[in-house]
Amino acid sequence: MDLNIVCIPGDGIGPEIVTEAKKVLDAVAKAYGHNMNYKDILMGGASIDVHGIPLTDEAIADAKAADAVLMGSIGGNTSTSPWYKLPPEKRPEAGLLKIRKALNLFANLRPAVLYDELASACPLKEEISAKGFDMLIMRELTGGLYFGERKTEEVNGKLTAVDTLTYSEDEIRRIAIKGFDVAMKRRKKVTSVDKANVLDSSRLWRKIVEEVAKDYPEVTLEHMLVDNCAMQLVKDPAQFDVILTENMFGDILSDEASMVTGSIGMLSSASLNDTKFGLYEPSHGSAPDIAGKNIANPIATVLSAAMMLRYTFDLDKEADAIEAAVKKVLTDGYRTVDIMPQTEEEKKNMKQVGCSEMGDLLVSYIQ
Ligand code: NAD
């Protein structure tokens, strides 16, 4: 298969981690007989330095022409970098908002996985972390409270602010379909999270999700109120497979789920539109504090590349191979500095490696 991939190395550790992800993709291409065609584009600070803006129309056109986009991360140190003296619409992050809008990316996928080997990094009680967990949060990205009408005005002499939470049935249906499609590639369970005991938008959400569920008889659907879900994530995260939810609930729950894994350098993500197209990137930022030192953990980006193979190209075997290589590298005791254990006792059995060495190890396991 020919895979046409636009890469956005971006800023900070972005170029280092994207280089490693490409190395791993090349190894997969060689092992399984595919052709990877990459084109790099500039975004964020890297684009500001060359073009004066965080994303050009040419770069957007390149991204639109590709099958998928693989991104590192963008942005610099927000206190010291000259990029943050620019007006907000010219700063690095504006490039990200622009590309999400241009590509109509409405579904955000964030897996949160606790690997046995990293269980000691999990902040939950040992009897909970011992069970492990592997969930994926499917968050609606373009509707709800963050995009509704808002105003602040004086009412009866008091300042009063209003935000509106709007969802149409079409917006709910398209994200629900994505959620069930993804569940079909996983353990076939969807937990739809809402606040249907209070909100009309949630009651519509529940109705449409139930309608969509009828087309997926193999998938088990359950509904959960958002406050309960926030508790269950720390009480019994192993119960979840796909959590399907609206924009603001997803924003909060996906950060909570990331935190309970305890390892930010391991977390991948994807944003999809209603075709097979997707933008794949690690959940973490550009880590300017460690940029250029060859110590960043490339695994989140490598796992994002695996998601790209699975969800854009339907190459499940190839994605499995990358995920198995990641697991093996951990089992064999290799760690970048961010996932090194804290105690001297545990450190004894571990081998600390840099960013490029981690990439080389993953390549060797795929070969
Ligand atoms: P960050 O995620 O970049 O870093 C937080 C901490 O985690 C730092 O100590 C960093 O060294 C560490 N870290 C992050 N990724 C790591 C990795 N792969 N390996 C090892 N350690 C890692 O968050 P921040 O410091 O708040 O943000 C830095 C910049 O990134 C800002 O400009 C922010 O706007 C940007 N950002 C970009 C994105 C994106 O491109 N989607 C997302 C979040 C933040």
Side-chain angles (χ1 to χ4, degrees):
M1 185 190 252
D2 282 318
L3 290 77
N4 298 313
I5 302 163
V6 152
C7 295
I8 305 178
D11 307 315
I13 59 171
E16 298 165 56
I17 54 184
V18 168
T19 298
E20 299 316 309
K22 279 187 187 171
K23 257 168 39 182
V24 172
L25 282 173
D26 287 338
V28 169
K30 205 166 160 206
Y32 292 85
H34 302 298
N35 293 317
M36 301 284 171
N37 305 315
Y38 304 114
K39 176 160 195 181
D40 281 5
I41 62 172
L42 296 176
M43 194 169 104
S47 174
I48 296 172
D49 289 347
V50 176
H51 302 294
I53 53 172
L55 185 69
T56 62
D57 291 342
E58 293 73 30
I60 292 180
D62 284 337
K64 279 187 174 167
D67 300 320
V69 174
L70 179 66
M71 192 175 122
S73 190
I74 51 126
N77 182 314
T78 48
S79 322
T80 57
S81 164
W83 299 328
Y84 295 91
K85 297 199 168 61
L86 297 167
E89 68 280 6
K90 290 201 168 160
R91 290 181 193 167
E93 287 71 16
L96 195 53
L97 298 180
K98 195 168 163 188
I99 201 165
R100 281 190 182 141
K101 193 161 180 222
L103 300 173
N104 196 21
L105 304 171
F106 66 83
N108 183 245
L109 285 65
R110 285 205 11 207
V113 181
L114 182 64
Y115 294 88
D116 296 345
E117 296 80 1
L118 301 180
S120 66
C122 174
L124 302 178
K125 281 190 194 154
E126 215 176 309
E127 66 260 31
I128 299 173
S129 62
K131 286 205 266 172
F133 55 82
D134 177 356
M135 72 182 99
L136 184 147
I137 302 205
M138 168 75 70
R139 164 189 171 194
E140 203 290 327
L141 210 51
T142 58
L145 204 51
Y146 296 170
F147 291 90
E149 278 178 33
R150 68 190 85 244
K151 63 178 177 196
T152 304
E153 62 186 0
E154 219 174 272
V155 178
N156 299 331
K158 301 279 178 204
L159 276 179
T160 305
V162 181
D163 294 288
T164 44
L165 199 176
T166 309
Y167 269 111
S168 73
E169 59 177 299
D170 290 351
E171 285 173 307
I172 301 170
R173 189 167 288 109
R174 67 180 184 172
I175 185 82
I177 289 170
K178 284 280 177 205
F180 281 88
D181 281 347
V182 165
M184 285 297 289
K185 284 183 175 267
R186 294 175 47 98
R187 300 193 307 280
K188 300 190 173 64
K189 179 178 172 191
V190 169
T191 305
S192 174
V193 173
D194 59 38
K195 189 73 182 166
N197 53 342
V198 179
L199 301 175
D200 259 17
S201 55
S202 282
R203 285 189 276 271
L204 180 63
W205 181 276
R206 213 174 255 219
K207 177 175 179 291
I208 302 298
V209 168
E210 280 178 1
E211 281 174 23
V212 172
K214 290 187 186 134
D215 294 331
Y216 297 84
E218 287 175 59
V219 178
T220 305
L221 168 66
E222 67 174 11
H223 299 284
M224 192 177 277
L225 296 176
V226 62
D227 37 353
N228 185 25
C229 184
M231 285 192 286
Q232 295 299 327
L233 278 174
V234 292
K235 198 170 156 228
D236 181 18
Q239 69 183 287
F240 295 114
D241 179 16
V242 174
I243 292 179
L244 169 67
T245 193
E246 61 91 59
N247 201 344
M248 185 180 65
F249 297 160
D251 188 11
I252 298 167
L253 295 176
S254 57
D255 269 11
E256 185 187 356
S258 306
M259 279 316 296
V260 294
T261 68
S263 16
I264 188 168
M266 302 288 299
L267 298 172
S268 53
S269 85
S271 302
L272 310 178
N273 65 19
D274 50 13
T275 69
K276 282 289 196 181
F277 184 92
L279 183 146
Y280 299 85
E281 56 174 325
S283 288
H284 59 72
S286 61
D289 52 334
I290 57 166
K293 296 184 179 162
N294 192 27
I295 58 169
N297 186 349
I299 292 179
T301 317
V302 168
L303 289 172
S304 304
M307 287 180 87
M308 176 178 80
L309 297 181
R310 195 181 298 286
Y311 295 117
T312 289
F313 298 104
D314 282 320
L315 296 174
D316 290 344
K317 257 194 311 156
E318 290 80 344
D320 288 346
I322 295 181
E323 288 166 5
V326 166
K327 179 104 179 101
K328 176 108 176 78
V329 105
L330 297 176
T331 312
D332 288 353
Y334 295 104
R335 302 281 187 274
T336 44
V337 63
D338 57 306
I339 51 172
M340 274 301 271
Q342 298 303 309
T343 66
E344 290 308 317
E345 188 54 34
E346 282 180 299
K347 275 185 191 165
K348 268 193 216 150
N349 305 319
M350 303 294 158
K351 286 153 268 188
Q352 189 171 318
V353 296
C355 183
S356 55
E357 206 179 342
M358 181 58 92
D360 292 341
L361 284 163
L362 292 168
V363 164
S364 71
Y365 287 135
I366 283 163
Q367 282 164 349

